[in-house]
Amino acid sequence: METFNTANKSLIKDMNTSTILQIVRTKGPISRAEISKITGLNPATVSSNTAGLMELGLVRETGIGVSSGGRKPLLLELNPEAYYVVGVDMGTTDVAVGITDLEGHIRCKSTLPFGGASEPEEIMGIIGQAIRNVLDASEIAAERILGIGMGIHGLVDPDRGISLFAPAFQWKNVEVAQLFSEQFGLPVSIDNDARAMALGEKWFGKAQSVSNFFFLNIGTGIGSGIYLNGELLKGAHFGAGEIGHIRIASHQEKPCFCGKTDCLSTAASGPALEDIARTAVHRGMAPLLAQLSNGEPDVITGELIHQAALQGDEFSIGLLDQAGRHIGGALSLVINLLNPEMVLIGGGVANGGDFIFQGIREEVANRSMQHNIEHIYIGPAGLGDDCGIIGAATLILRSVFSNPNQYNT
Ligand SMILES: [Zn+2]
């Protein structure tokens, strides 16, 4: 039987290994002596732990560092292509799957449309196919794939791997992680899509050196990921960050899918903007949009609205500006409440550029406490359109780096 002491020793070893691996990842190339200095671990412990990491292939020796007298030390760095992970960005109309290395670089990716499917079995079948396609195309040996991370819209219980509620498909309590884990024989980690994106920005995007930031995803829905003191918030029942359902004064005709009215989502999400634009075309209020869509309002997309705005269309400029102001108003609540040092905005609507961002910034400036906006950065996410895939992949990377020994099989 394992004694308390050996169990404890193994736990401490895991923690040391994880700490060292994180330092090599974020500060490498770095010498063992420097690691020892930063961590306070004695040189023998650093040495034995790095040996373990090299055996796993996660860390390799590279170049020669500066000597502080005596022999020049070999430096250690992460071996980013030793292993790969799968990132699945489950949208509402399609799924994007990518394979990334340990530094979040996408090696290959592909997208499959859902084609109107909404039943869990159908959607899971299409996602499974998309994962197989990418794994086949990558030609990476199966034993070098560490796991599958997945970002899913709506409410997600990452601890049990369950999609609690996905509004676009109206499904409840789907055991996503278990299904794919059995199908692919790999660890599967899932979370809310915006939360996964925030994690991706923390590891590989603009927020790497920031402990308090807010990630806002504005796509078919509006969600967010909240980092406070370096921790990603989930909430008591995984509902933290549902900013899309903050009530704003917009007086929309349609209720929100959540059952309430005048949610931010009904005024500023991609589908909401398309809806408002279509109605305007029907009513003859947006002549340039009518022209660009050849009189077929159904083909109006967020991109087309942006295009019309670029061509000086007053209706489209006003629509994007109004959306920006609604978003800015909601953000000012967040900024006053949480005092983040950075607000990153991702998702399709963020591609609206200054037409959106000007309204956001002005409204934030008008409504937030001056102290809280003096040093704030508000801008587009660093990982762009790949944020969803990289964020999802990072769900697995986080698990690898927090306990690399679990992969020592
Ligand atoms: Zn709502």
Side-chain angles (χ1 to χ4, degrees), residues 116-177:
S118 67
E119 290 301 315
E121 297 75 30
E122 298 173 282
I123 298 284
M124 295 300 140
I126 294 167
I127 294 174
Q129 186 58 52
I131 295 172
R132 266 190 302 278
N133 290 351
V134 173
L135 286 172
D136 289 347
S138 75
E139 296 182 340
I140 295 168
E143 63 270 19
R144 292 173 68 199
I145 304 283
L146 293 180
I148 300 168
M150 197 178 298
I152 301 173
H153 77 277
L155 295 170
V156 176
D157 176 346
D159 303 339
R160 292 188 299 152
I162 296 174
S163 164
L164 299 173
F165 176 51
F169 307 129
Q170 287 295 311
W171 76 30
K172 283 184 178 163
N173 301 317
V174 179
E175 298 190 349
V176 178

CSV table of all heavy atoms in Angstrom, one decimal, residues 116-177:
chain,number,residue,atom,x,y,z
A,116,GLY,N,-27.6,22.3,-40.9
A,116,GLY,CA,-29.0,22.4,-40.4
A,116,GLY,C,-29.3,21.3,-39.3
A,116,GLY,O,-30.3,21.3,-38.7
A,117,ALA,N,-28.3,20.4,-39.0
A,117,ALA,CA,-28.5,19.4,-38.0
A,117,ALA,C,-28.6,20.1,-36.6
A,117,ALA,O,-28.0,21.1,-36.4
A,117,ALA,CB,-27.3,18.4,-38.0
A,118,SER,N,-29.3,19.5,-35.7
A,118,SER,CA,-29.3,20.0,-34.3
A,118,SER,C,-29.4,18.9,-33.3
A,118,SER,O,-29.1,19.2,-32.1
A,118,SER,CB,-30.5,21.0,-34.2
A,118,SER,OG,-31.7,20.3,-34.3
A,119,GLU,N,-29.7,17.7,-33.6
A,119,GLU,CA,-29.8,16.6,-32.7
A,119,GLU,C,-28.4,16.3,-32.2
A,119,GLU,O,-27.4,16.3,-33.0
A,119,GLU,CB,-30.4,15.3,-33.3
A,119,GLU,CG,-31.9,15.5,-33.6
A,119,GLU,CD,-32.7,15.7,-32.3
A,119,GLU,OE1,-32.4,15.1,-31.3
A,119,GLU,OE2,-33.6,16.6,-32.4
A,120,PRO,N,-28.2,16.0,-30.9
A,120,PRO,CA,-26.9,15.7,-30.4
A,120,PRO,C,-26.1,14.7,-31.2
A,120,PRO,O,-24.9,14.8,-31.5
A,120,PRO,CB,-27.1,15.3,-29.0
A,120,PRO,CG,-28.4,15.9,-28.6
A,120,PRO,CD,-29.2,16.0,-29.8
A,121,GLU,N,-26.8,13.6,-31.5
A,121,GLU,CA,-26.2,12.5,-32.3
A,121,GLU,C,-25.6,13.0,-33.6
A,121,GLU,O,-24.5,12.6,-34.0
A,121,GLU,CB,-27.1,11.3,-32.5
A,121,GLU,CG,-27.7,10.6,-31.3
A,121,GLU,CD,-28.7,11.4,-30.6
A,121,GLU,OE1,-29.5,12.2,-31.3
A,121,GLU,OE2,-28.8,11.4,-29.3
A,122,GLU,N,-26.4,13.8,-34.3
A,122,GLU,CA,-26.0,14.3,-35.6
A,122,GLU,C,-24.8,15.2,-35.5
A,122,GLU,O,-23.8,15.1,-36.2
A,122,GLU,CB,-27.1,15.1,-36.3
A,122,GLU,CG,-28.4,14.3,-36.6
A,122,GLU,CD,-29.4,15.3,-37.1
A,122,GLU,OE1,-30.1,16.0,-36.3
A,122,GLU,OE2,-29.6,15.4,-38.4
A,123,ILE,N,-24.9,16.1,-34.5
A,123,ILE,CA,-23.8,17.1,-34.3
A,123,ILE,C,-22.5,16.4,-33.9
A,123,ILE,O,-21.4,16.7,-34.4
A,123,ILE,CB,-24.2,18.1,-33.2
A,123,ILE,CG1,-25.5,18.9,-33.7
A,123,ILE,CG2,-23.1,19.1,-32.9
A,123,ILE,CD1,-25.3,20.0,-34.7
A,124,MET,N,-22.6,15.5,-33.0
A,124,MET,CA,-21.5,14.7,-32.5
A,124,MET,C,-20.9,13.9,-33.6
A,124,MET,O,-19.6,13.8,-33.7
A,124,MET,CB,-21.8,13.8,-31.3
A,124,MET,CG,-22.3,14.5,-30.1
A,124,MET,SD,-21.0,15.6,-29.4
A,124,MET,CE,-22.0,17.0,-29.0
A,125,GLY,N,-21.7,13.4,-34.5
A,125,GLY,CA,-21.2,12.6,-35.6
A,125,GLY,C,-20.4,13.5,-36.5
A,125,GLY,O,-19.3,13.1,-37.0
A,126,ILE,N,-20.9,14.7,-36.8
A,126,ILE,CA,-20.1,15.6,-37.7
A,126,ILE,C,-18.8,16.0,-37.1
A,126,ILE,O,-17.8,16.1,-37.7
A,126,ILE,CB,-21.0,16.8,-38.1
A,126,ILE,CG1,-22.2,16.3,-38.9
A,126,ILE,CG2,-20.2,17.9,-38.8
A,126,ILE,CD1,-23.4,17.4,-39.0
A,127,ILE,N,-18.9,16.3,-35.7
A,127,ILE,CA,-17.6,16.8,-35.1
A,127,ILE,C,-16.6,15.6,-35.1
A,127,ILE,O,-15.4,15.8,-35.3
A,127,ILE,CB,-17.9,17.2,-33.6
A,127,ILE,CG1,-18.8,18.5,-33.6
A,127,ILE,CG2,-16.6,17.4,-32.8
A,127,ILE,CD1,-19.3,18.9,-32.2
A,128,GLY,N,-17.1,14.4,-34.8
A,128,GLY,CA,-16.2,13.2,-34.8
A,128,GLY,C,-15.5,13.1,-36.2
A,128,GLY,O,-14.3,12.8,-36.3
A,129,GLN,N,-16.3,13.3,-37.2
A,129,GLN,CA,-15.8,13.2,-38.6
A,129,GLN,C,-14.8,14.3,-38.8
A,129,GLN,O,-13.7,14.0,-39.4
A,129,GLN,CB,-17.0,13.3,-39.6
A,129,GLN,CG,-16.6,13.1,-41.1
A,129,GLN,CD,-16.0,11.7,-41.3
A,129,GLN,OE1,-16.6,10.7,-40.9
A,129,GLN,NE2,-14.8,11.6,-41.8
A,130,ALA,N,-15.0,15.5,-38.4
A,130,ALA,CA,-14.1,16.6,-38.6
A,130,ALA,C,-12.8,16.3,-37.9
A,130,ALA,O,-11.7,16.6,-38.4
A,130,ALA,CB,-14.7,17.9,-38.0
A,131,ILE,N,-12.9,15.7,-36.6
A,131,ILE,CA,-11.6,15.4,-35.9
A,131,ILE,C,-10.9,14.3,-36.7
A,131,ILE,O,-9.6,14.4,-36.8
A,131,ILE,CB,-12.0,14.9,-34.5
A,131,ILE,CG1,-12.6,16.0,-33.6
A,131,ILE,CG2,-10.7,14.4,-33.8
A,131,ILE,CD1,-13.2,15.5,-32.3
A,132,ARG,N,-11.6,13.3,-37.1
A,132,ARG,CA,-10.9,12.2,-37.9
A,132,ARG,C,-10.2,12.8,-39.2
A,132,ARG,O,-9.1,12.4,-39.5
A,132,ARG,CB,-11.9,11.1,-38.3
A,132,ARG,CG,-11.9,9.9,-37.3
A,132,ARG,CD,-12.7,8.8,-37.9
A,132,ARG,NE,-14.0,9.1,-38.2
A,132,ARG,CZ,-15.0,9.2,-37.3
A,132,ARG,NH1,-14.8,8.9,-36.0
A,132,ARG,NH2,-16.2,9.6,-37.6
A,133,ASN,N,-10.9,13.7,-39.9
A,133,ASN,CA,-10.3,14.3,-41.1
A,133,ASN,C,-9.0,15.0,-40.8
A,133,ASN,O,-8.0,14.8,-41.5
A,133,ASN,CB,-11.3,15.4,-41.6
A,133,ASN,CG,-12.5,14.7,-42.2
A,133,ASN,OD1,-12.6,13.5,-42.4
A,133,ASN,ND2,-13.5,15.6,-42.6
A,134,VAL,N,-9.0,15.8,-39.7
A,134,VAL,CA,-7.8,16.5,-39.4
A,134,VAL,C,-6.7,15.6,-38.9
A,134,VAL,O,-5.5,15.8,-39.3
A,134,VAL,CB,-8.1,17.6,-38.3
A,134,VAL,CG1,-6.8,18.3,-37.9
A,134,VAL,CG2,-9.1,18.6,-38.9
A,135,LEU,N,-7.0,14.6,-38.1
A,135,LEU,CA,-6.0,13.7,-37.6
A,135,LEU,C,-5.4,12.9,-38.9
A,135,LEU,O,-4.1,12.8,-38.9
A,135,LEU,CB,-6.6,12.6,-36.7
A,135,LEU,CG,-6.9,13.2,-35.3
A,135,LEU,CD1,-7.6,12.1,-34.4
A,135,LEU,CD2,-5.6,13.6,-34.5
A,136,ASP,N,-6.2,12.5,-39.8
A,136,ASP,CA,-5.7,11.8,-41.0
A,136,ASP,C,-4.8,12.7,-41.8
A,136,ASP,O,-3.7,12.4,-42.2
A,136,ASP,CB,-6.9,11.3,-41.9
A,136,ASP,CG,-7.6,10.1,-41.2
A,136,ASP,OD1,-7.0,9.6,-40.2
A,136,ASP,OD2,-8.7,9.8,-41.7
A,137,ALA,N,-5.3,14.0,-42.0
A,137,ALA,CA,-4.6,14.9,-42.9
A,137,ALA,C,-3.2,15.3,-42.3
A,137,ALA,O,-2.2,15.5,-43.0
A,137,ALA,CB,-5.4,16.2,-43.1
A,138,SER,N,-3.1,15.3,-40.9
A,138,SER,CA,-1.9,15.8,-40.2
A,138,SER,C,-0.8,14.7,-40.3
A,138,SER,O,0.4,15.1,-40.3
A,138,SER,CB,-2.2,16.0,-38.8
A,138,SER,OG,-2.3,14.8,-38.1
A,139,GLU,N,-1.1,13.5,-40.5
A,139,GLU,CA,-0.1,12.4,-40.6
A,139,GLU,C,0.7,12.3,-39.3
A,139,GLU,O,1.9,11.9,-39.4
A,139,GLU,CB,0.7,12.5,-41.8
A,139,GLU,CG,-0.1,12.3,-43.1
A,139,GLU,CD,0.7,12.4,-44.4
A,139,GLU,OE1,1.8,12.9,-44.3
A,139,GLU,OE2,0.2,11.9,-45.4
A,140,ILE,N,0.2,12.8,-38.2
A,140,ILE,CA,0.9,12.7,-36.9
A,140,ILE,C,0.6,11.4,-36.3
A,140,ILE,O,-0.6,10.9,-36.2
A,140,ILE,CB,0.5,13.8,-36.0
A,140,ILE,CG1,1.0,15.2,-36.6
A,140,ILE,CG2,1.1,13.7,-34.6
A,140,ILE,CD1,0.4,16.4,-35.9
A,141,ALA,N,1.6,10.7,-35.8
A,141,ALA,CA,1.4,9.4,-35.2
A,141,ALA,C,0.5,9.5,-34.0
A,141,ALA,O,0.6,10.5,-33.2
A,141,ALA,CB,2.8,8.8,-34.7
A,142,ALA,N,-0.4,8.5,-33.8
A,142,ALA,CA,-1.4,8.6,-32.8
A,142,ALA,C,-0.8,8.8,-31.4
A,142,ALA,O,-1.4,9.5,-30.6
A,142,ALA,CB,-2.3,7.3,-32.8
A,143,GLU,N,0.3,8.2,-31.1
A,143,GLU,CA,0.9,8.3,-29.7
A,143,GLU,C,1.4,9.7,-29.4
A,143,GLU,O,1.8,10.0,-28.3
A,143,GLU,CB,1.9,7.2,-29.5
A,143,GLU,CG,3.2,7.3,-30.3
A,143,GLU,CD,3.0,6.5,-31.6
A,143,GLU,OE1,1.9,6.2,-32.0
A,143,GLU,OE2,4.1,6.2,-32.2
A,144,ARG,N,1.5,10.5,-30.4
A,144,ARG,CA,2.0,11.9,-30.2
A,144,ARG,C,0.8,12.9,-30.0
A,144,ARG,O,1.1,14.1,-29.8
A,144,ARG,CB,2.9,12.3,-31.3
A,144,ARG,CG,4.2,11.5,-31.2
A,144,ARG,CD,5.1,11.8,-32.4
A,144,ARG,NE,5.6,13.2,-32.4
A,144,ARG,CZ,6.1,13.8,-33.5
A,144,ARG,NH1,6.1,13.2,-34.7
A,144,ARG,NH2,6.6,15.0,-33.4
A,145,ILE,N,-0.4,12.4,-30.1
A,145,ILE,CA,-1.6,13.3,-29.8
A,145,ILE,C,-2.0,13.1,-28.3
A,145,ILE,O,-2.3,12.0,-27.9
A,145,ILE,CB,-2.8,12.9,-30.7
A,145,ILE,CG1,-2.4,12.9,-32.2
A,145,ILE,CG2,-4.0,13.7,-30.4
A,145,ILE,CD1,-2.3,14.3,-32.8
A,146,LEU,N,-1.9,14.2,-27.6
A,146,LEU,CA,-2.2,14.0,-26.1
A,146,LEU,C,-3.6,14.1,-25.7
A,146,LEU,O,-4.0,13.7,-24.6
A,146,LEU,CB,-1.4,15.1,-25.4
A,146,LEU,CG,0.2,15.0,-25.4
A,146,LEU,CD1,0.8,16.1,-24.7
A,146,LEU,CD2,0.6,13.7,-24.9
A,147,GLY,N,-4.5,14.7,-26.5
A,147,GLY,CA,-5.8,14.8,-26.1
A,147,GLY,C,-6.6,15.8,-27.0
A,147,GLY,O,-6.1,16.4,-27.9
A,148,ILE,N,-7.9,15.9,-26.7
A,148,ILE,CA,-8.8,16.7,-27.4
A,148,ILE,C,-9.5,17.8,-26.5
A,148,ILE,O,-10.1,17.4,-25.5
A,148,ILE,CB,-10.0,15.9,-28.1
A,148,ILE,CG1,-9.4,14.8,-29.0
A,148,ILE,CG2,-11.0,16.8,-28.8
A,148,ILE,CD1,-10.4,13.7,-29.4
A,149,GLY,N,-9.3,19.0,-26.9
A,149,GLY,CA,-10.0,20.1,-26.1
A,149,GLY,C,-11.1,20.7,-27.0
A,149,GLY,O,-11.0,20.7,-28.2
A,150,MET,N,-12.2,21.1,-26.3
A,150,MET,CA,-13.4,21.5,-27.1
A,150,MET,C,-14.1,22.7,-26.4
A,150,MET,O,-14.4,22.7,-25.2
A,150,MET,CB,-14.3,20.3,-27.2
A,150,MET,CG,-15.4,20.5,-28.3
A,150,MET,SD,-16.5,19.0,-28.4
A,150,MET,CE,-15.3,17.7,-28.8
A,151,GLY,N,-14.3,23.7,-27.2
A,151,GLY,CA,-15.1,24.9,-26.7
A,151,GLY,C,-16.5,24.8,-27.3
A,151,GLY,O,-16.7,24.6,-28.5
A,152,ILE,N,-17.5,24.9,-26.4
A,152,ILE,CA,-18.9,24.7,-26.7
A,152,ILE,C,-19.7,25.9,-26.2
A,152,ILE,O,-19.5,26.4,-25.1
A,152,ILE,CB,-19.4,23.4,-26.1
A,152,ILE,CG1,-18.6,22.2,-26.5
A,152,ILE,CG2,-20.9,23.3,-26.4
A,152,ILE,CD1,-19.0,20.9,-25.8
A,153,HIS,N,-20.5,26.5,-27.1
A,153,HIS,CA,-21.3,27.6,-26.6
A,153,HIS,C,-22.3,27.2,-25.6
A,153,HIS,O,-22.7,26.0,-25.5
A,153,HIS,CB,-22.0,28.3,-27.8
A,153,HIS,CG,-23.2,27.6,-28.3
A,153,HIS,ND1,-23.2,26.5,-29.2
A,153,HIS,CD2,-24.5,27.8,-28.0
A,153,HIS,CE1,-24.4,26.1,-29.4
A,153,HIS,NE2,-25.2,26.9,-28.7
A,154,GLY,N,-22.8,28.2,-24.8
A,154,GLY,CA,-23.8,27.9,-23.8
A,154,GLY,C,-23.1,27.5,-22.4
A,154,GLY,O,-22.0,27.8,-22.2
A,155,LEU,N,-23.9,26.8,-21.6
A,155,LEU,CA,-23.5,26.4,-20.3
A,155,LEU,C,-22.7,25.0,-20.3
A,155,LEU,O,-23.3,24.1,-20.9
A,155,LEU,CB,-24.6,26.3,-19.3
A,155,LEU,CG,-25.4,27.7,-19.1
A,155,LEU,CD1,-26.6,27.4,-18.3
A,155,LEU,CD2,-24.4,28.6,-18.3
A,156,VAL,N,-21.5,25.0,-19.8
A,156,VAL,CA,-20.7,23.8,-19.8
A,156,VAL,C,-20.2,23.5,-18.4
A,156,VAL,O,-19.8,24.4,-17.7
A,156,VAL,CB,-19.5,24.0,-20.8
A,156,VAL,CG1,-18.6,22.8,-20.8
A,156,VAL,CG2,-20.0,24.3,-22.2
A,157,ASP,N,-20.3,22.2,-18.0
A,157,ASP,CA,-19.7,21.7,-16.8
A,157,ASP,C,-18.4,21.1,-17.2
A,157,ASP,O,-18.4,19.9,-17.6
A,157,ASP,CB,-20.6,20.8,-16.1
A,157,ASP,CG,-20.0,20.2,-14.8
A,157,ASP,OD1,-18.8,20.3,-14.6
A,157,ASP,OD2,-20.8,19.6,-14.1
A,158,PRO,N,-17.2,21.8,-17.1
A,158,PRO,CA,-16.0,21.2,-17.5
A,158,PRO,C,-15.5,20.1,-16.6
A,158,PRO,O,-14.8,19.2,-17.0
A,158,PRO,CB,-15.0,22.4,-17.4
A,158,PRO,CG,-15.6,23.4,-16.5
A,158,PRO,CD,-17.1,23.1,-16.5
A,159,ASP,N,-15.9,20.1,-15.3
A,159,ASP,CA,-15.5,19.0,-14.3
A,159,ASP,C,-16.1,17.7,-14.7
A,159,ASP,O,-15.4,16.7,-14.6
A,159,ASP,CB,-16.0,19.4,-12.9
A,159,ASP,CG,-15.4,20.7,-12.5
A,159,ASP,OD1,-14.4,21.2,-13.1
A,159,ASP,OD2,-16.0,21.4,-11.6
A,160,ARG,N,-17.3,17.6,-15.2
A,160,ARG,CA,-17.9,16.4,-15.6
A,160,ARG,C,-17.9,16.2,-17.1
A,160,ARG,O,-18.4,15.1,-17.6
A,160,ARG,CB,-19.4,16.3,-15.0
A,160,ARG,CG,-19.4,16.2,-13.5
A,160,ARG,CD,-20.8,15.9,-13.0
A,160,ARG,NE,-21.7,17.0,-13.4
A,160,ARG,CZ,-23.0,16.8,-13.6
A,160,ARG,NH1,-23.6,15.7,-13.4
A,160,ARG,NH2,-23.8,17.9,-13.9
A,161,GLY,N,-17.5,17.2,-17.8
A,161,GLY,CA,-17.4,17.1,-19.3
A,161,GLY,C,-18.8,17.1,-20.0
A,161,GLY,O,-19.0,16.4,-21.0
A,162,ILE,N,-19.7,17.9,-19.4
A,162,ILE,CA,-21.1,17.9,-19.9
A,162,ILE,C,-21.5,19.2,-20.5
A,162,ILE,O,-21.2,20.3,-19.8
A,162,ILE,CB,-22.1,17.4,-18.8
A,162,ILE,CG1,-21.8,16.0,-18.4
A,162,ILE,CG2,-23.5,17.5,-19.3
A,162,ILE,CD1,-22.6,15.5,-17.2
A,163,SER,N,-22.1,19.2,-21.6
A,163,SER,CA,-22.7,20.4,-22.2
A,163,SER,C,-24.1,20.5,-21.5
A,163,SER,O,-25.0,19.8,-21.8
A,163,SER,CB,-22.8,20.3,-23.7
A,163,SER,OG,-23.7,21.3,-24.2
A,164,LEU,N,-24.2,21.5,-20.6
A,164,LEU,CA,-25.5,21.6,-19.8
A,164,LEU,C,-26.6,22.1,-20.6
A,164,LEU,O,-27.7,21.7,-20.5
A,164,LEU,CB,-25.2,22.5,-18.6
A,164,LEU,CG,-24.2,22.0,-17.6
A,164,LEU,CD1,-24.0,23.0,-16.5
A,164,LEU,CD2,-24.6,20.7,-16.9
A,165,PHE,N,-26.3,23.1,-21.4
A,165,PHE,CA,-27.3,23.7,-22.3
A,165,PHE,C,-26.7,24.4,-23.5
A,165,PHE,O,-25.8,25.3,-23.3
A,165,PHE,CB,-28.2,24.7,-21.5
A,165,PHE,CG,-29.2,25.5,-22.3
A,165,PHE,CD1,-30.1,24.8,-23.1
A,165,PHE,CD2,-29.3,26.9,-22.2
A,165,PHE,CE1,-31.0,25.5,-23.9
A,165,PHE,CE2,-30.2,27.6,-23.0
A,165,PHE,CZ,-31.1,26.9,-23.8
A,166,ALA,N,-27.0,24.0,-24.7
A,166,ALA,CA,-26.5,24.7,-25.9
A,166,ALA,C,-27.7,25.3,-26.6
A,166,ALA,O,-28.4,24.6,-27.3
A,166,ALA,CB,-25.7,23.7,-26.8
A,167,PRO,N,-27.9,26.6,-26.4
A,167,PRO,CA,-29.1,27.3,-26.9
A,167,PRO,C,-29.3,27.1,-28.4
A,167,PRO,O,-30.5,26.9,-28.8
A,167,PRO,CB,-29.0,28.7,-26.5
A,167,PRO,CG,-27.6,28.9,-26.0
A,167,PRO,CD,-27.1,27.6,-25.6
A,168,ALA,N,-28.3,27.2,-29.2
A,168,ALA,CA,-28.5,27.1,-30.7
A,168,ALA,C,-29.1,25.8,-31.1
A,168,ALA,O,-29.8,25.7,-32.1
A,168,ALA,CB,-27.1,27.3,-31.4
A,169,PHE,N,-28.8,24.7,-30.3
A,169,PHE,CA,-29.3,23.4,-30.6
A,169,PHE,C,-30.5,23.0,-29.7
A,169,PHE,O,-31.0,21.9,-29.8
A,169,PHE,CB,-28.2,22.3,-30.6
A,169,PHE,CG,-27.0,22.7,-31.4
A,169,PHE,CD1,-25.8,22.7,-30.9
A,169,PHE,CD2,-27.2,23.1,-32.8
A,169,PHE,CE1,-24.7,23.0,-31.7
A,169,PHE,CE2,-26.1,23.4,-33.5
A,169,PHE,CZ,-24.8,23.4,-33.0
A,170,GLN,N,-30.7,23.8,-28.7
A,170,GLN,CA,-31.7,23.5,-27.7
A,170,GLN,C,-31.5,22.2,-27.0
A,170,GLN,O,-32.4,21.4,-26.7
A,170,GLN,CB,-33.1,23.6,-28.3
A,170,GLN,CG,-33.5,25.0,-28.6
A,170,GLN,CD,-33.7,25.9,-27.3
A,170,GLN,OE1,-34.4,25.4,-26.3
A,170,GLN,NE2,-33.1,27.1,-27.2
A,171,TRP,N,-30.2,21.8,-26.8
A,171,TRP,CA,-30.0,20.5,-26.1
A,171,TRP,C,-29.6,20.7,-24.7
A,171,TRP,O,-29.1,21.8,-24.4
A,171,TRP,CB,-29.1,19.6,-26.9
A,171,TRP,CG,-27.6,19.9,-26.8
A,171,TRP,CD1,-26.9,20.5,-25.8
A,171,TRP,CD2,-26.6,19.7,-27.9
A,171,TRP,NE1,-25.6,20.6,-26.1
A,171,TRP,CE2,-25.4,20.1,-27.3
A,171,TRP,CE3,-26.7,19.1,-29.1
A,171,TRP,CZ2,-24.2,20.0,-28.1
A,171,TRP,CZ3,-25.5,19.0,-29.8
A,171,TRP,CH2,-24.3,19.5,-29.3
A,172,LYS,N,-29.8,19.7,-23.9
A,172,LYS,CA,-29.5,19.8,-22.5
A,172,LYS,C,-28.7,18.5,-22.0
A,172,LYS,O,-29.0,17.4,-22.5
A,172,LYS,CB,-30.7,19.9,-21.6
A,172,LYS,CG,-31.3,21.3,-21.7
A,172,LYS,CD,-32.5,21.5,-20.7
A,172,LYS,CE,-32.9,23.0,-20.8
A,172,LYS,NZ,-34.3,23.2,-20.3
A,173,ASN,N,-27.7,18.7,-21.2
A,173,ASN,CA,-27.0,17.6,-20.5
A,173,ASN,C,-26.5,16.6,-21.5
A,173,ASN,O,-26.8,15.4,-21.4
A,173,ASN,CB,-27.9,16.9,-19.5
A,173,ASN,CG,-28.3,17.9,-18.4
A,173,ASN,OD1,-27.5,18.7,-18.0
A,173,ASN,ND2,-29.6,17.9,-18.1
A,174,VAL,N,-25.7,17.0,-22.4
A,174,VAL,CA,-25.0,16.0,-23.4
A,174,VAL,C,-23.6,15.7,-22.9
A,174,VAL,O,-22.8,16.6,-22.6
A,174,VAL,CB,-25.0,16.6,-24.8
A,174,VAL,CG1,-24.3,15.7,-25.8
A,174,VAL,CG2,-26.4,17.0,-25.3
A,175,GLU,N,-23.3,14.4,-22.7
A,175,GLU,CA,-22.1,14.0,-22.2
A,175,GLU,C,-21.0,13.9,-23.3
A,175,GLU,O,-20.6,12.9,-23.8
A,175,GLU,CB,-22.2,12.6,-21.5
A,175,GLU,CG,-23.2,12.7,-20.3
A,175,GLU,CD,-23.2,11.4,-19.5
A,175,GLU,OE1,-22.6,10.4,-19.9
A,175,GLU,OE2,-23.8,11.5,-18.4
A,176,VAL,N,-20.5,15.1,-23.6
A,176,VAL,CA,-19.6,15.3,-24.8
A,176,VAL,C,-18.3,14.7,-24.5
A,176,VAL,O,-17.8,13.9,-25.4
A,176,VAL,CB,-19.5,16.8,-25.1
A,176,VAL,CG1,-18.5,17.0,-26.2
A,176,VAL,CG2,-20.8,17.5,-25.4
A,177,ALA,N,-17.7,14.9,-23.4
A,177,ALA,CA,-16.3,14.5,-23.1
A,177,ALA,C,-16.2,12.9,-23.2
A,177,ALA,O,-15.3,12.4,-23.8
A,177,ALA,CB,-15.8,15.0,-21.8
